[in-house]
Amino acid sequence: MKKKPNKKKLPKPKQETKADAGTNDIIRLNKYIASAGVCSRREADKLIEDGKVQVNGNIVTSLGIKVKESDNVVVDGKQINPEKHIYVLLNKPKNTISTTSDEKDRQTVIDLIEDATGRRVYPVGRLDRNTTGLILLTNDGELAHRLMHPSYKVRKVYQVETPHILTDEQLTALRQGVELEDGPARAYKVDRHPVLANAIRMSIIEGRNHQVKRMIEAIGSEVINLKRIIYAGLTIDGLRTGRWRYLNRKEVLEMRQLVKLLDKKTLKL
Ligand code: URA
């Protein structure tokens, strides 16, 4: 009979620091090793079974073991570091491109944050050059992919200013759906702005190109100012235009839960 491997008890994980915020998810050891670029997950399983992996100083041979980013993992005598994920929320100003580079050398969202973060991050989705407001940037490709995928139905809320006050009929048309050249589109929710008479708050699920502008044009008006105020449950409140901040741990966990990268039971706050 095959001898059962010794399950060694792992020491208590280190206390989280502020810099760890949002990055301390528990992941399987093979995934941790693979994300450090050492080898594939399958090859990592082999290294674990062969007793070549240590976690916090203990050899582990059990394939089911889970670790935290803050744990010390040594493979074949070398300490490894998986890519640390960072999550940045930027209040994008006007006249800024939301791609990573621009052939005309115009200011990009990356220019606004990169020197400060010191890491390569990518915008999750796009905002038009003159749209202001919330844009998320991260190096967490799996999360970004899910946030942008229509099947996860991530909600985006825009504050839309028009030259004239929209009529009740126009708002109803947005709720019921308008015809765009690439198919029908409808707002998930539309409310009048509590203060600005010529503005509405419109919530959409899809993220088609220039979708808000095209929907407003389809009801016979136009957008004079567009600002994204909510994305995937995150709000732009308290962040001045052009400024950015890191997401906190609670925000990252909630977002991961939203796109089913974390189940409800795992959400310990
Ligand atoms: N819809 C638009 O029309 N523009 C944006 O920037 C975002 C959504």
Side-chain angles (χ1 to χ4, degrees):
M1 218 172 69
K2 211 176 160 194
K3 210 178 148 213
K4 259 193 164 179
N6 262 353
K7 251 197 196 164
K8 293 233 172 112
K9 218 172 160 211
L10 300 179
K12 252 182 135 193
K14 283 184 233 155
Q15 182 66 38
E16 244 179 75
T17 63
K18 213 169 175 202
D20 289 330
T23 62
N24 238 355
D25 296 345
I26 294 171
I27 58 167
R28 281 179 74 106
L29 181 55
N30 63 354
K31 185 171 177 189
Y32 182 104
I33 296 171
S35 73
V38 175
C39 56
S40 70
R41 285 195 206 183
R42 187 172 298 187
E43 287 159 348
D45 282 341
K46 177 91 179 50
L47 290 169
I48 296 167
E49 281 183 320
D50 290 349
K52 294 192 172 152
V53 179
Q54 289 181 21
V55 178
N56 298 331
N58 298 314
I59 293 180
V60 290
T61 48
S62 165
L63 294 182
I65 286 262
K66 293 192 172 171
V67 290
K68 284 179 137 188
E69 196 179 277
S70 53
D71 284 329
N72 182 320
V73 178
V74 172
V75 177
D76 254 346
K78 275 193 220 116
Q79 190 185 341
I80 59 163
N81 292 305
E83 184 182 34
K84 188 170 171 139
H85 288 151
I86 58 169
Y87 307 88
V88 170
L89 190 156
L90 169 71
N91 188 346
K92 176 185 161 316
K94 282 195 176 188
N95 212 9
T96 308
I97 314 283
S98 59
T99 51
T100 43
S101 61
D102 181 54
E103 75 282 359
K104 292 190 198 142
D105 222 21
R106 293 170 293 187
Q107 174 168 263
T108 72
V109 287
I110 301 295
D111 297 334
L112 291 176
I113 64 148
E114 200 159 55
D115 288 348
T117 65
R119 280 169 198 267
R120 195 117 187 88
V121 289
Y122 302 89
V124 180
R126 297 220 176 149
L127 288 178
D128 295 338
R129 187 159 65 100
N130 281 328
T131 300
T132 60
L134 200 163
I135 189 155
L136 180 68
L137 298 108
T138 183
N139 54 357
D140 183 344
E142 193 176 22
L143 180 79
H145 174 76
R146 289 196 182 198
L147 287 170
M148 288 187 283
H149 198 282
S151 65
Y152 293 99
K153 299 191 168 34
V154 169
R155 208 143 54 91
K156 302 120 190 138
V157 184
Y158 292 89
Q159 178 175 306
V160 190
E161 276 180 59
T162 50
H164 310 287
I165 300 174
L166 297 178
T167 63
D168 288 343
E169 290 71 32
Q170 284 174 307
L171 300 196
T172 303
L174 291 172
R175 291 185 193 109
Q176 289 181 341
V178 293
E179 204 52 53
L180 303 181
E181 61 191 19
D182 51 356
R186 82 180 187 89
Y188 179 76
K189 200 164 181 277
V190 181
D191 296 303
R192 291 193 185 276
H193 191 281
V195 180
L196 299 172
N198 64 328
I200 59 166
R201 284 182 181 156
M202 181 161 128
S203 163
I204 58 171
I205 303 277
E206 294 171 290
R208 279 141 69 180
N209 254 355
H210 314 301
Q211 183 167 335
V212 174
K213 283 182 193 155
R214 291 190 293 138
M215 288 175 73
I216 298 295
E217 280 161 17
I219 57 162
S221 186
E222 62 175 312
V223 173
I224 53 170
N225 266 314
L226 186 59
K227 178 178 184 180
R228 186 153 71 187
I229 52 176
I230 297 179
Y231 180 80
L234 302 167
T235 84
I236 203 68
D237 295 348
L239 195 63
R240 277 186 288 144
T241 310
R243 306 302 282 264
W244 63 272
R245 67 171 176 85
Y246 288 113
L247 295 191
N248 62 39
R249 175 170 158 73
K250 181 171 180 278
E251 289 169 326
V252 176
L253 289 177
E254 286 175 348
M255 219 168 37
R256 295 181 76 78
Q257 192 193 357
L258 185 74
V259 296
K260 306 199 169 41
L261 280 172
L262 201 66
D263 66 32
K264 269 210 167 95
K265 282 179 270 154
T266 329
L267 186 61
K268 293 193 204 98
L269 299 173

